[in-house]
Amino acid sequence: MLAPTELPPLDALPGVSYIMPILNEADHVEEAVSTILAQDYPGQKEIVVALGPSTDGTTEVVRRMAAADPRIITVDNPAGDTPIGLNLAVARTTHAVVIRVDAHSELTADYTARGVAVLRETRAANAGGLMRARGRTAFQRAVARAYMSRIGLGGPAYHAGDEAQEAESAYLGVFRREVFDALDGFDETLRRGQDWELNLRLREAGGLVWFAPELQVTYWPRATWSNLVKQFYATGVWRAEIVRRYGARNSARYFAPPLLVLGVTASLVEAVLQLTGSTRSWPRFVRGFTSLVHVPSAAYAAGIVTAVWRADDAGIRERLWFGLVLPSMHVSWGAGFLRGLATGAASNRDRSR
């Protein structure tokens, strides 16, 4: 029932339900919710916010906003896990279109109208667009640059795509309500990567996931280096858990960061052995062969230097941060992936918020 030919036509102005799981986002939530309330869409709208156990006043901010606007609905999510919060929010929605939103994201004013139009025109079950990362400080701008760069996150269309196309997954997502009725929502055992997994089941059920570059969302990355590393480590752990479960159905690009970590580790070990003279007794051809382990690491370092050099529209502080942010993202993600591949995700949590 999710195939394009099987989905019933949407009404001219279908009602739209926004779902937002939230935890410790007092600095962002009011602005994020405000952009939803300001959507230039004449159809009915409601926002369901799943409140995790925040300690920074987020819950109080949202409840104050809900008291002033009946379109804002709150549900408690005491576990604080994103997929549980999403499912709790979906269960309270009442409209034909469900749009996932995030406290770190801001929608353009026409996002809803464009999203509904894409669903109608393509008969897709889910549609998403470009994640436009932005930053306020030099560090955050460097992270945003890394998000949007091919050498940074690369791969997914929603980071740097420019052509409408069928997609593997979608950033956030503008869903037909039928997706949740047919697939029982998000997998609550996946604390990260639950969007990709839902879109996998959606595609296997015959549904279409569509990338539409006219759908644009502003995303504000983590504001400190330590939180960025924690975020990417947790993301790597949970991506490995998905690989353990779904194997070859994952894109090959997910294996690049763990291979980088293994390559850099091998290079460092080889360098220590060379510096301590431990390789002197090895045959010359063996020493020459093992020295090749430095080539990938040197090529990666050259790639980072080139990326920083080409960022000539950035200030010096942003460029310096950019040079640190890129390997920080790759190595933390790769290290998390290797840990998750070896032991599974277990109870790993994203502690960056």
Side-chain angles (χ1 to χ4, degrees):
M1 64 175 294
L2 296 180
T5 56
E6 297 174 350
L7 284 171
L10 283 173
D11 294 339
L13 277 176
V16 174
S17 300
Y18 306 87
I19 55 174
M20 178 190 289
I22 197 162
L23 177 68
N24 288 332
E25 296 290 1
D27 292 338
H28 300 279
V29 63
E30 192 159 7
E31 188 171 12
V33 171
S34 295
T35 64
I36 296 170
L37 297 177
Q39 286 291 288
D40 185 13
Y41 181 73
Q44 291 186 329
K45 297 189 289 285
E46 65 182 4
I47 311 165
V48 185
V49 184
L51 297 170
S54 296
T55 58
D56 67 345
T58 297
T59 298
E60 290 74 17
V61 172
V62 175
R63 292 198 189 282
R64 172 176 53 79
M65 296 180 73
D69 192 322
R71 295 174 297 174
I72 303 174
I73 302 164
T74 63
V75 294
D76 291 328
N77 176 23
D81 290 344
T82 297
I84 294 176
L86 288 168
N87 286 338
L88 288 169
V90 168
R92 290 290 301 273
T93 61
T94 60
H95 295 313
V97 175
V98 177
I99 299 180
R100 180 178 173 178
V101 291
D102 185 88
H104 274 246
S105 302
E106 296 170 19
L107 310 181
T108 57
D110 61 353
Y111 183 88
T112 300
R114 286 179 177 269
V116 170
V118 169
L119 291 184
R120 180 179 293 109
E121 293 163 6
T122 65
R123 303 297 289 271
N126 183 24
L130 280 172
M131 183 187 78
R132 291 293 189 187
R134 295 289 184 266
R136 296 183 175 90
T137 65
F139 171 79
Q140 202 175 37
R141 288 193 297 273
V143 178
R145 183 179 294 273
Y147 267 83
M148 303 297 292
S149 167
R150 289 289 185 186
I151 195 176
L153 293 187
Y158 54 79
H159 290 303
D162 57 5
E163 293 184 4
Q165 58 190 285
E166 187 173 348
E168 174 185 72
S169 188
Y171 178 56
L172 297 181
V174 180
F175 293 89
R176 292 287 299 256
R177 175 58 188 249
E178 289 87 345
V179 171
F180 302 102
D181 295 335
L183 302 179
D184 296 325
F186 295 90
D187 185 339
E188 295 185 358
T189 68
L190 289 173
R191 290 200 173 102
R192 302 298 295 268
Q194 63 276 346
D195 303 90
W196 182 90
E197 191 276 339
L198 177 63
N199 282 293
L200 172 64
R201 285 188 283 129
L202 188 162
R203 289 185 286 112
E204 291 180 340
L208 175 65
V209 180
W210 193 256
F211 169 72
E214 66 267 28
L215 299 177
Q216 298 190 11
V217 182
T218 298
Y219 173 79
W220 299 96
R222 300 295 188 270
T224 66
W225 181 83
S226 62
N227 282 342
L228 179 74
V229 168
K230 292 174 186 175
Q231 177 193 17
F232 272 77
Y233 181 82
T235 302
V237 170
W238 283 100
R239 174 52 61 180
E241 177 66 25
I242 292 175
V243 168
R244 285 165 63 101
R245 298 187 191 189
Y246 297 99
R249 284 177 281 183
N250 289 267
S251 171
R253 72 175 180 270
Y254 296 126
F255 295 89
L259 288 175
L260 169 68
V261 172
L262 292 175
V264 170
T265 301
S267 183
L268 290 174
V269 170
E270 172 69 8
V272 170
L273 292 175
Q274 290 175 337
L275 290 172
T276 58
S278 300
T279 62
R280 289 174 186 168
S281 61
W282 296 0
R284 181 174 296 179
F285 79 91
V286 174
R287 294 200 303 271
F289 179 77
T290 58
S291 293
L292 293 176
V293 77
H294 299 304
V295 174
S297 296
Y300 175 74
I304 297 296
V305 171
T306 300
V308 173
W309 178 261
R310 290 178 175 174
D312 52 10
D313 59 333
I316 184 64
R317 293 186 65 221
E318 182 181 332
R319 292 174 78 173
L320 291 174
W321 272 122
F322 185 51
L324 175 63
V325 161
L326 285 170
S328 297
M329 289 166 53
H330 296 153
V331 171
S332 57
W333 199 101
F337 184 96
L338 291 172
R339 178 268 167 101
L341 199 62
T343 66
S347 60
N348 182 269
R349 292 178 177 272
D350 178 3
R351 302 187 184 280
S352 64
R353 295 180 177 177

